[in-house]
Amino acid sequence: MAKTDKPNWNGCPVRYAAGIFGDKWCFILLRDTLLRGKRSYSEFLDAGEGISTNILASRLVRLEEAGMLIRKIDPRKGSRVCYFPTQKARALLPAFLGMVVWAIEFDEETEAPDGFAAGFLENPTGTVARISAQIDQINRDILGDAADAL
Amino acid sequence: MAKTDKPNWNGCPVRYAAGIFGDKWCFILLRDTLLRGKRSYSEFLDAGEGISTNILASRLVRLEEAGMLIRKIDPRKGSRVCYFPTQKARALLPAFLGMVVWAIEFDEETEAPDGFAAGFLENPTGTVARISAQIDQINRDILGDAADAL
DNA sequence: CTGTATCCTTAGGGATACTG
DNA sequence: CAGTATCCCTAAGGATACAG
């Protein structure tokens, strides 16, 4: 029997994933950074989900420690702090968008942007690249060339 | 600006997904059904994660209500109950495996089966089909032809 | 074997006041 | 603006006994 027939991972990747977004708030924050262009504390706070300040702070720390976010002062305005998605977080985009497509298909209440699901299924790599480019753009708007170092 | 540039979903697909597996135990149970061939209460209980009986029962109900699992008596042994992953659950496989690949890449403790990640990246559809076939096989072993009705 | 029912403890998290 | 610090309370969940 091949090794893949009966996966018996010691360090289980699913448990690892569960540790990171087997939590409602982390899940939502990842959405906000990856898909909604949110970067600052106040933007997360006003995302409309009603997260309270202490919880938000704790999740930002958790995601930073998990290597999903990088905390940086906004060079345009020193009092502003921004959280940027790391490469690790962005590497999650294919899976993340896969979930979005899945939810669009199975949740009746979900209203998807026109053609989004179809576009992803036809060309996942292209869709990921497009959204990744949007993320880049947002980061460059804030950090300029320093965004390259993310 | 195209509609997809600024997704502003009313019924948010990410929140929907978070509602279903933005929970450690549901996440683990989905792993057990989709990737580890577990079907019965006792199998879930002995999966080594230390879930207690009341929590397991509550999550099985939750996943059944969410349309992710179907509860059926094992025709081979009447006292045995099995939970089968629905099409909806199996439709999650691409995204789920995407997460597995992601975890394999970023979690140092994860030990992946040989070539699993590479195989998925080269041919996601094929990998999904292969695992889906394994799921089918397990279901048929239990239900016989009745598995077709799942 | 597949669950309920109960007890009990702790962690999660909402509200809110406060701080650099 | 970006958090900390408390308070308080509920819900989650572990342990375990029991039941159909």
Side-chain angles (χ1 to χ4, degrees), chain B residues 5 14 16 24 40 50 60 78 81 112 128:
Chain B
D5 286 342
V14 177
Y16 179 75
K24 176 193 170 190
S40 73
L60 288 172
V81 178
V128 168

Side-chain angles (χ1 to χ4, degrees), chain A residues 39-47 51-58 60 80-83:
Chain A
R39 294 292 180 269
S40 72
Y41 193 89
S42 50
E43 283 173 339
F44 295 130
L45 207 54
D46 301 341
I51 191 172
S52 55
T53 60
N54 50 351
I55 304 300
L56 173 56
S58 78
L60 288 172
R80 189 186 166 93
V81 178
C82 288
Y83 295 86

Side-chain angles (χ1 to χ4, degrees), chain B residues 16-52:
Chain B
Y16 179 75
I20 289 185
F21 42 81
D23 168 87
K24 176 193 170 190
W25 289 120
C26 288
F27 212 100
I28 296 293
L29 289 177
L30 286 174
R31 174 198 66 179
D32 288 342
T33 42
L34 292 173
L35 301 180
R36 297 193 166 176
K38 302 203 185 296
R39 294 290 180 273
S40 73
Y41 192 88
S42 51
E43 284 173 338
F44 295 130
L45 206 56
D46 302 341
E49 305 281 355
I51 190 172
S52 55

Side-chain angles (χ1 to χ4, degrees), chain A residues 8 30 45 65 93 108 127 148:
Chain A
N8 186 18
L30 286 174
L45 207 54
E65 286 174 349
L93 267 178
E108 283 118 26
T127 305
D148 297 337

Side-chain angles (χ1 to χ4, degrees), chain B residues 29-146:
Chain B
L29 289 177
L30 286 174
R31 174 198 66 179
D32 288 342
T33 42
L34 292 173
L35 301 180
R36 297 193 166 176
K38 302 203 185 296
R39 294 290 180 273
S40 73
Y41 192 88
S42 51
E43 284 173 338
F44 295 130
L45 206 56
D46 302 341
E49 305 281 355
I51 190 172
S52 55
T53 60
N54 50 352
I55 304 300
L56 173 55
S58 78
R59 292 309 190 278
L60 288 172
V61 169
R62 187 181 300 183
L63 285 171
E64 204 188 347
E65 287 174 349
M68 301 295 279
L69 296 177
I70 291 177
R71 185 183 186 279
K72 278 193 180 298
I73 305 296
D74 189 334
R76 303 169 311 180
K77 189 160 184 284
S79 73
R80 188 185 165 94
V81 178
C82 288
Y83 294 85
F84 299 94
T86 60
Q87 289 304 322
K88 179 178 176 179
R90 292 165 59 163
L92 201 54
L93 267 178
F96 208 74
L97 293 175
M99 286 185 349
V100 169
V101 169
W102 172 81
I104 288 172
E105 183 179 351
F106 289 97
D107 176 25
E108 283 119 28
E109 291 177 39
T110 289
E111 294 192 22
D114 280 348
F116 176 83
F120 178 77
L121 292 173
E122 281 163 21
N123 184 9
T125 315
T127 304
V128 168
R130 204 190 75 235
I131 295 186
S132 211
Q134 291 175 4
I135 293 175
D136 279 335
Q137 186 57 52
I138 293 165
N139 294 350
R140 298 193 68 81
D141 286 347
I142 298 173
L143 292 178
D145 289 343

Side-chain angles (χ1 to χ4, degrees), chain A residues 3-5 7-18 20-24 27-28 31 35-36 49 68 87-89 91-92 95-96 98-100 102-107 109-114 116 130 134, chain B residues 3-5 7-18 20-24 27-28 31 35-36 49 68 87-89 91-92 95-96 98-100 102-107 109-114 116 130 134:
Chain A
K3 222 175 168 186
T4 45
D5 286 344
N8 186 18
W9 291 295
N10 300 7
C12 172
V14 178
R15 219 168 39 207
Y16 179 75
I20 289 184
F21 39 75
D23 170 87
K24 176 192 168 190
F27 214 101
I28 297 293
R31 174 198 67 178
L35 302 180
R36 298 194 166 177
E49 304 282 355
M68 301 294 280
Q87 288 304 321
K88 179 177 176 179
L92 203 54
F96 207 75
M99 287 183 349
V100 170
W102 172 83
I104 288 172
E105 184 179 352
F106 288 96
D107 176 24
E109 291 178 38
T110 289
E111 294 191 22
D114 280 349
F116 176 83
R130 203 191 73 234
Q134 292 174 3
Chain B
K3 222 176 170 185
T4 45
D5 286 342
N8 185 18
W9 290 295
N10 300 5
C12 172
V14 177
R15 218 167 40 205
Y16 179 75
I20 289 185
F21 42 81
D23 168 87
K24 176 193 170 190
F27 212 100
I28 296 293
R31 174 198 66 179
L35 301 180
R36 297 193 166 176
E49 305 281 355
M68 301 295 279
Q87 289 304 322
K88 179 178 176 179
L92 201 54
F96 208 74
M99 286 185 349
V100 169
W102 172 81
I104 288 172
E105 183 179 351
F106 289 97
D107 176 25
E109 291 177 39
T110 289
E111 294 192 22
D114 280 348
F116 176 83
R130 204 190 75 235
Q134 291 175 4

